[in-house]
Amino acid sequence: MFYSFVRAVVALTRPHMTLLARVPLVFLSLLLAGGCSAASAGRTGAQDSGVARGPWAEVPAVEMPTGDTSIPISLIRDAAEGLLKRPGAKVCDPVTQRPIVGLSTEYCSTVYAAGNRDSLSWRVTEPVRGSHDSCSPFFAVKDDDYPASQVWVVGYIHNHPCAATPSSRDLGSWPTDEFNPYVAMAEVRLVPGNPAPAVHEGMAIEMASALVAERQDGTRVFLRYFPTGEIQQWSQAKAGWVTLGRCSPRERTSFGSAPRCDGLLQLLHE
């Protein structure tokens, strides 16, 4: 039944199938499943005036170009400063290395690009509070400086109370404008739809989400991951992004379960 629904959706999006031709149907169905839940949250929020507001005053906008086509490390670091100082954001059971129900807290902010082809900036919205192992950002954004036609949702950034790689739910949650008419998105990384891609000086902006955490020794972990499954960690030693592997979400999963990966996914320790 579910796969019949997915095939129907793919048929409706046939004008945009050029990018989708390389995506396995199973992974696409998982991607859309995550997108459905995320988009539903965004649509409900928009109808209830719960649209995410941006930019978040604690996180300075990052003007393009940044030397990268996806979420820049400077934006992730600044967002981490704001997210990790919130109550429960760093609370982790030192023995089990698992979040503590009722104490640990995830927070997430929507990441978006705003402006036009000549002047574009990376921004994040006010954070939304979640539970000990999940948070659901709004994918509808109202920016104080730009109209909706000049706002492109890229993904979201959130914290993990215990430094860990993205979960299956993280990898399955992407804004999809096919399901949510309030959202315009960045173009690349094989996401369906996208009638109005974010482009800066001829360069398309890539969709990605980010994850931040702080280990018990005080060192911080900065990750970003893409709809196509690549997971990257910022290396301070190399001053650049290092790809840890490629993963996909499991079809039936609890919020915190590990995804399927092409190898052992290990964080860098620097």
Side-chain angles (χ1 to χ4, degrees), residues 58-262:
E58 292 185 34
V59 181
V62 177
E63 302 301 321
M64 296 192 188
T66 63
D68 200 344
T69 57
S70 191
I71 307 174
I73 184 60
S74 55
L75 184 78
I76 296 175
R77 281 182 173 142
D78 288 341
E81 286 292 330
L83 294 176
L84 293 175
K85 70 183 182 184
R86 300 213 157 200
K90 298 185 288 186
V91 175
C92 179
D93 187 315
V95 177
T96 64
Q97 287 298 297
R98 300 283 297 173
I100 302 173
V101 178
L103 294 178
S104 302
T105 308
E106 286 192 14
Y107 300 87
C108 51
S109 297
T110 300
V111 180
Y112 64 103
N116 55 51
R117 291 174 179 266
D118 299 319
S119 178
L120 204 64
S121 62
W122 291 99
R123 300 180 172 212
V124 297
T125 65
E126 293 280 346
V128 176
R129 181 173 182 163
S131 67
H132 67 288
D133 65 354
S134 67
C135 64
S136 299
F138 290 115
F139 286 126
V141 175
K142 179 175 176 57
D143 186 88
D144 291 338
D145 304 318
Y146 295 96
S149 61
Q150 293 186 337
V151 172
W152 291 268
V153 174
V154 171
Y156 70 107
I157 182 170
H158 70 295
N159 68 291
H160 274 187
C162 301
T165 54
S167 67
S168 280
R169 185 177 187 275
D170 293 335
L171 293 178
S173 296
W174 295 96
T176 56
D177 64 338
E178 289 296 329
F179 294 97
N180 188 350
Y182 297 98
V183 174
M185 301 186 309
E187 180 184 30
V188 278
R189 294 286 171 170
L190 312 184
V191 177
N194 310 324
V199 177
H200 175 65
E201 296 182 350
M203 179 178 65
I205 305 305
E206 298 188 29
M207 288 190 70
S209 284
L211 187 157
V212 298
E214 186 169 297
R215 296 188 175 106
Q216 291 182 341
D217 63 4
T219 59
R220 289 188 173 178
V221 175
F222 306 107
L223 301 174
R224 69 180 185 183
Y225 51 97
F226 301 87
T228 41
E230 297 100 324
I231 298 176
Q232 299 178 339
Q233 181 175 349
W234 179 261
S235 169
Q236 188 65 32
K238 296 182 178 180
W241 292 101
V242 173
T243 298
L244 303 180
R246 183 188 293 264
C247 302
S248 62
R250 296 180 186 274
E251 184 175 1
R252 299 182 184 276
T253 179
S254 62
F255 280 162
S257 69
R260 293 189 179 91
C261 301
D262 57 8

Side-chain angles (χ1 to χ4, degrees), residues 23-40:
V23 183
L25 180 59
V26 173
F27 179 68
L28 175 60
S29 65
L30 295 173
L31 182 65
L32 294 178
C36 281
S37 60
S40 297

